Amino acid sequence: MAITNHLENFCPKTVEAFVQKAEALTPTLIQKTVFPVSLGTVFWLDDDWVYQKKEPIAALNGKSFGKGERICVDFGDHRVGYLSFTLSSIGSPPDAPAYLRLKFGEKPCEIGEESENYQGSISSSWIQEETLHVDVLPASVRLPRRYAFRYLEILIKDTSPKYRVTFSDIRCETVTSADIRNVSPLDLKDADLIDMDRISIKTMEDCMQSVFEDGPKRDRRLWIGDLRLQALANYRTFQNYDLVKRCLYLFAGLTQNRGRVGACLFLEPKPMVDDTALFDYSLFFVSCLFDYYKETGDRETLLELWDTAYRQIELSSERIGEHGVVLDSDDWWCFLDWNDELNKQAGAQAVFLYTLKQARYLAEEIGDADRLHRIDTSLLWLAKGAKEVLWDETEGFFVSGTKRQISWASQVWFVLAGVFEKSQNQALLRRLLEKRPKVGMVTPYMYHHFIEALFCCEMRKEAIDQMKRYWGGMVKEGADCFYEIYDPDRKDFSPYGSKIIHSYCHAWSGTPTYFIRKYVIP
Ligand code: RAM
């Protein structure tokens, strides 16, 4: 399956007033200077790359390096920011430029693997690696690009036989729009959950930049599926309502053909919508607005953005087939998860029902009787389609696509859509946990929905156990932030063909703090 879905005759539309409103909400970034803590090496141990500390960073003073030598430093935690250092020489006056290769890694694998061997489906230009000529020494070197990393390796590709280089004052100016002072302390005794809360907050913090980025290493942009989860976690932690509002206005101000909300936006050189369109992601504009309104009561924003939200319902309705079931197709029309085997039809139907209910609430709140009526008609029609076509009484599961696939994602989303009563939903989730269908969940994004479904069905113990198994698995691996992709049963899994291209600080993975603060603490 192709992972790009470009709209034909892409024709973006801008509502200038919305974009201006969004731009007026651009946050000031908080900066901090941080330094590396140790010198070490990266090597292959058992089945993964690891970093091993050799000396404290102070040992760098007095060390000099020549052709083919390298240093590797650890910044002690995940960092997002700008690197600088002083490069000097010892020996004869430098008679040739210093030639360096720098590698930045959120994880040691990005340092250990040779990037020339990368064959993945996503552009290799995301690999955080640079070569640099420094003509005049000593030099203050500041790299213009922002990096997301904990480890930095510098290989001295060449100096000259007559001189060696020294490094001093290696530092990183970190940036974020998240103010950690707004996060209240957690009153909890469970050490595993405390770790998860801390790491999710760090993940959130590093992804909160001029917008809610999906990942500060990759894709460094505003995806609406990620935004929805980030906003939920943000309401329980940083409470930066303006940043959510800014993102909502950007999506509404920069739509695709026929007013469709795009799957993601680029921010530079100026905000613009991408030509990727995804069924579930467009509908999540409704969810983002619903959650924001419930949280803030900001009626002015609701009234201004309601038309954009309702437009997503109208456009999605065009995909409903004759039996009240969303039409399936072979392209990348709907996201749900990065599992290639997953058939999206049932999950998409459930997402539609889920967002229609939120739209219904908003229509009632606004007093939009005409749209309320249409929403009710669609709700009935889609619920009927779900029960009559997608529900398989013999299997006890929702099925998807012509091959009647039974997946975790379909069941989870139908629980969230609330097609059945709570007791039936509980039974469905218990059956899911017991029968464990083969087509599983591979991203923290999909796991988020699974945990949410368990909490909604008051299956608190199961929810916490699953969180400990899933995010807890990353904690055990020594994660500084939570990852974009994680499959506890297939540690090598990559939808992109290589793990070095993964983002290891990914917003959609940062929701344990939301669960803990919403459902676990009283
Ligand atoms: C990837 C990113 C992003 C996600 C999309 C669907 O490119 O990880 O977070 O929303 O896929």
Side-chain angles (χ1 to χ4, degrees):
M1 178 178 46
I3 62 160
T4 47
N5 179 16
H6 303 298
L7 282 181
E8 266 172 45
N9 307 321
F10 178 48
C11 174
K13 180 174 153 237
T14 305
V15 181
E16 222 28 86
F18 286 177
V19 177
Q20 273 172 21
K21 213 158 190 170
E23 292 297 50
L25 293 165
T26 307
T28 314
L29 298 184
I30 302 164
Q31 302 191 359
K32 220 166 84 189
T33 307
V34 292
F35 301 93
V37 293
S38 69
L39 275 175
T41 48
V42 166
F43 58 94
W44 182 256
L45 179 70
D46 299 334
D47 56 359
D48 204 359
W49 294 97
V50 291
Y51 170 86
Q52 188 180 45
K53 173 183 168 175
K54 290 269 193 250
E55 296 168 285
I57 194 67
L60 192 58
N61 292 332
K63 282 194 199 292
S64 67
F65 305 88
K67 180 172 180 163
E69 293 178 316
R70 61 185 82 200
I71 60 166
C72 186
V73 299
D74 172 11
F75 271 78
D77 203 345
H78 189 266
R79 310 293 181 192
V80 177
Y82 299 87
L83 179 85
S84 62
F85 56 87
T86 302
L87 187 69
S88 308
S89 66
I90 56 167
S92 302
D95 56 336
Y99 182 30
L100 310 176
R101 185 195 72 189
L102 292 91
K103 274 181 148 189
F104 298 80
E106 294 185 309
K107 294 290 259 182
C109 65
E110 296 156 80
I111 306 287
E113 296 275 328
E114 285 306 331
S115 53
E116 303 88 80
N117 301 336
Y118 173 77
Q119 301 266 333
S121 54
I122 290 189
S123 171
S124 62
S125 62
W126 286 114
I127 297 171
Q128 304 185 103
E129 185 174 309
E130 311 290 351
T131 51
L132 201 68
H133 285 87
V134 185
D135 288 298
V136 182
L137 298 176
S140 291
V141 179
R142 186 181 192 269
L143 273 78
R145 185 160 191 258
R146 197 196 71 193
Y147 297 94
F149 69 107
R150 171 170 173 166
Y151 307 100
L152 164 70
E153 183 200 72
I154 307 180
L155 165 71
I156 292 76
K157 284 177 77 84
D158 216 341
T159 53
S160 91
K162 294 185 72 182
Y163 80 97
R164 292 168 68 79
V165 287
T166 64
F167 293 89
S168 58
D169 199 23
I170 304 181
R171 57 169 72 198
C172 176
E173 296 291 339
T174 63
V175 282
T176 176
S177 57
D179 191 340
I180 196 75
R181 291 171 305 182
N182 294 341
V183 180
S184 51
L186 189 64
D187 185 14
L188 198 68
K189 297 269 174 305
D190 186 317
D192 294 339
L193 294 181
I194 292 172
D195 275 342
M196 270 185 237
D197 182 72
R198 176 181 49 79
I199 299 172
S200 344
I201 290 170
K202 174 72 176 145
T203 308
M204 288 285 299
E205 191 181 1
D206 285 0
C207 292
M208 284 169 74
Q209 299 296 333
S210 94
V211 294
F212 285 97
E213 289 184 12
D214 60 333
K217 169 186 161 188
R218 209 209 82 240
D219 301 330
R220 302 164 66 128
R221 75 187 67 137
L222 176 60
W223 284 87
I224 201 160
D226 303 67
L227 167 66
R228 174 169 150 262
L229 304 196
Q230 278 168 300
L232 291 175
N234 170 57
Y235 298 142
R236 304 270 155 190
T237 53
F238 295 101
Q239 300 180 321
N240 191 338
Y241 302 109
D242 277 354
L243 196 63
V244 182
K245 185 172 173 180
R246 166 166 154 80
C247 296
L248 282 169
Y249 273 96
L250 282 174
F251 273 114
L254 297 160
T255 52
Q256 302 176 331
N257 304 10
R258 304 172 65 214
R260 183 168 183 170
V261 167
C264 69
L265 302 181
F266 300 100
L267 283 310
E268 304 281 354
K270 63 182 179 98
M272 65 184 138
V273 65
D274 185 29
D275 59 357
T276 306
L278 294 166
F279 182 85
D280 48 346
Y281 271 32
S282 298
L283 282 169
F284 284 142
F285 185 82
V286 178
S287 300
C288 292
L289 185 59
F290 170 86
D291 294 332
Y292 172 80
Y293 178 67
K294 290 278 268 188
E295 200 59 39
T296 61
D298 179 350
R299 207 175 157 79
E300 189 189 317
T301 299
L302 170 63
L303 292 173
E304 276 198 322
L305 303 186
W306 170 234
D307 284 350
T308 309
Y310 187 74
R311 184 73 185 131
Q312 309 318 305
I313 304 276
E314 285 178 328
L315 292 169
S316 305
S317 300
E318 294 174 4
R319 230 190 139 106
I320 307 178
E322 50 172 340
H323 301 292
V325 177
V326 169
L327 296 173
D328 195 13
S329 54
D330 284 337
D331 54 346
W332 196 48
W333 63 281
C334 175
F335 176 60
L336 301 182
D337 197 10
W338 270 135
N339 185 345
D340 233 3
E341 289 170 43
L342 176 66
N343 181 280
K344 313 286 173 76
Q345 185 186 37
Q349 176 100 359
V351 169
F352 203 176
L353 279 158
Y354 173 87
T355 49
L356 270 168
K357 287 185 175 173
Q358 295 175 326
R360 185 184 198 287
Y361 175 92
L362 297 179
E364 237 178 1
E365 198 64 15
I366 291 169
D368 191 337
D370 178 40
R371 286 173 176 174
L372 183 62
H373 175 71
R374 290 180 212 208
I375 291 170
D376 278 339
T377 311
S378 300
L379 270 170
L380 281 174
W381 181 225
L382 282 163
K384 189 169 181 285
K387 287 181 184 162
E388 291 180 0
V389 182
L390 300 176
W391 175 249
D392 187 322
E393 186 61 35
T394 323
E395 295 282 357
F397 284 124
F398 285 95
V399 295
S400 184
T402 46
K403 296 199 178 134
R404 302 178 66 75
Q405 180 190 76
I406 297 171
S407 68
W408 288 69
S410 302
Q411 319 314 315
V412 165
W413 266 111
F414 266 115
V415 168
L416 293 174
V419 171
F420 291 142
E421 298 296 305
K422 192 181 280 175
S423 59
Q424 288 169 287
N425 281 337
Q426 280 175 345
L428 176 55
L429 287 174
R430 294 230 155 81
R431 209 171 304 125
L432 185 61
L433 284 164
E434 188 206 323
K435 299 252 164 93
R436 314 191 65 76
K438 198 172 94 306
V439 184
M441 305 173 284
V442 299
T443 56
Y445 173 79
M446 193 55 227
Y447 264 85
H448 164 92
H449 296 101
F450 178 42
I451 307 294
E452 181 85 71
L454 289 167
F455 275 120
C456 288
C457 289
E458 283 157 30
M459 295 169 71
R460 180 187 157 95
K461 183 181 173 318
E462 289 84 348
I464 296 175
D465 286 351
Q466 292 293 333
M467 276 170 68
K468 288 189 176 182
R469 176 177 166 272
Y470 191 71
W471 280 273
M474 292 187 242
V475 178
K476 278 201 198 87
E477 274 191 7
D480 298 306
C481 294
F482 288 129
Y483 316 158
E484 173 193 17
I485 314 280
Y486 179 69
D487 185 341
D489 304 320
R490 289 184 296 164
K491 294 267 168 74
D492 278 341
F493 171 73
S494 172
Y496 312 128
S498 166
K499 285 182 72 177
I500 66 167
I501 212 77
H502 289 193
S503 155
Y504 290 96
C505 170
H506 212 70
W508 70 18
S509 198
T511 55
T513 187
Y514 155 79
F515 292 122
I516 292 165
R517 287 164 189 257
K518 178 169 179 184
Y519 297 110
V520 179
I521 53 177

